[in-house]
Amino acid sequence: EQGGGFQPNYNAPAPASYAPVFIEPTFQLTAGALEIWMAVAGPAGAWSGADVWISQDGTNYAKSASVTQSARYGYVYTGLTSSQPGLDLADSFGVDLTLSQGALAVSPGLAAAETNTSLCYVDGEFLSYGATVLTGALHYQVSTLNRGQFGTAPLAHAAETLFVRCDNALVQLVVQPGLIGRTLYIKLLNRNAYGGGQPSLSEVEPYAYTFQGRAYTEPFPAVTGFGTVYADNFETLVWTPVDDPRTPGYEIRLGINWGAAIVIGQVLDSGFAISSPGTYWIAARYLAPTGYVVYGPPTSISVQGAAIIRNLLVSFSEGANGWTGACQGTVPVAGNLQLDAAGNILGDPALLAEASVLNYGGWRLAGTYTSSVTVNAQSVLDAQISIAYAATAQSIYDNIFTVANVLADSDLLENANGPVVTLMPQIAVAQADGTFAAWQNFAPAHYLGQYFRFRLVLATSDPTINCVVTNLTVTTDVPDRAASGTNYAVSAGGATIVYTPPFNVAPNVQVTILDGEAGDVAHINKTATGFTVTILNNGAGVARTIDWIAQGY
């Protein structure tokens, strides 16, 4: 009698897979695609893969992918400290791959770490390794590390942290931004060793995963190439754009440090004109679909001068003048300008019981200060306007002696107050008729007009944080101007030439005698409104014809 041999049971029920691990890769790893990666594995020798079905509501499922091999994942069994990004030749950590029955290549070499061909994921950090030592069955000590790769930070990892080897065994699912914050339901229809034995959808319990959209919230790198150039007589901040699929914008602040500095601009391009000296800060900025604002680390530059002055028409400092302009919701205090108190203290029935009378009712949320100075350029011209200002965000609780536990205060220097307040200079321009157009937000530029007025708009989003302006200086710079006359007859008694309109200061005057004789001398007396000229020969006035030109502003 002859035996029939081994007959595989293709319909044997498939074993259950292990619980999957979900990874949200950065855009640097996916070339800008929003994805979820899944690490799936099953019992070695009895499991040959699974089909992945996904639902947004837990009821209606669609097949999204198929798994044909086990991923290599497990746990960290000896912790890993934080580090600087890049090569870390000092640290190592232990990995236990018993869960997936996986194996790591033995010491793939430094090149594998440097080129990330041994890429792994450990609790939010992507890293690569160059050396492994087998310390027990499916246990490895991993070293020669390349930390904080693909936009992630080199974090500290405790024992029992999940570890995943990132390779082509991972399931890569492309998702849409609209799913951020939504819970996805995943069913794995496993196959037995022979590719059969799959259960039905109704027989499988789903795994639930809430999609965070972490690719959108990964921090940006620091802005590089931050410097200045002069463009159209204004100093302009320039920088190298950050290369990231999210195409971030840039936030510029002015102040002593990033946290306390006031936001003065948010731009998409790589240039920003300034007109005030000081310390400028910049960081890449992105508003994620979740509403979360992502920043890169800030970079700073100190600017000493901000504009090339041609002809200084007028420059005035409101602080030095005592803030004599019109205040609406603002008030000068101790040489500075700030938002006024919101409450009416005169109506308080228990004034002596108030903890603070200086900011009664908290600060107003907004106010304006209008300068009393109106600049008259004497004629309609292309004026170059510069406004230098400085401000700080001041809390009503800034008395350090009232802090119960100084060491426990997470923001003792109030570095987080800066973005709470805003300060916007504005300008109004009138032509020769003196009728001013509406106020407009100021930007360093050339303004066409004859009359110019200035004001500040102060605001805070927190009634306990005040916007305190410590300096406001306005500089009006006007272009060169020339006036001239030809074949002008000068009598023996002289002539008077009047400029229309007058110059702001007495200009340079040049006279050319067209029909002169030996001994002729032109005597000139000049002012901002015109000049007189007399032609003398041997001390006596003579009649002559002249050309003249006056240059100034």
Side-chain angles (χ1 to χ4, degrees), residues 320-357:
N321 294 337
W323 303 99
T324 57
C327 294
Q328 185 173 357
T330 58
V331 61
V333 175
N336 299 324
L337 179 76
Q338 65 182 49
L339 289 167
D340 200 0
N344 182 1
I345 201 167
L346 297 178
D348 192 332
L351 178 60
L352 296 180
E354 287 296 333
S356 175
V357 297

Side-chain angles (χ1 to χ4, degrees), residues 282-357:
I282 189 171
R285 180 185 188 276
Y286 176 74
L287 179 61
T290 57
Y292 179 74
V293 180
V294 186
Y295 286 99
T299 301
S300 68
I301 188 172
S302 179
V303 176
Q304 301 302 318
I308 298 175
I309 302 300
R310 301 163 299 179
N311 302 301
L312 181 60
L313 177 61
V314 64
S315 179
F316 60 91
S317 170
E318 289 294 323
N321 294 337
W323 303 99
T324 57
C327 294
Q328 185 173 357
T330 58
V331 61
V333 175
N336 299 324
L337 179 76
Q338 65 182 49
L339 289 167
D340 200 0
N344 182 1
I345 201 167
L346 297 178
D348 192 332
L351 178 60
L352 296 180
E354 287 296 333
S356 175
V357 297

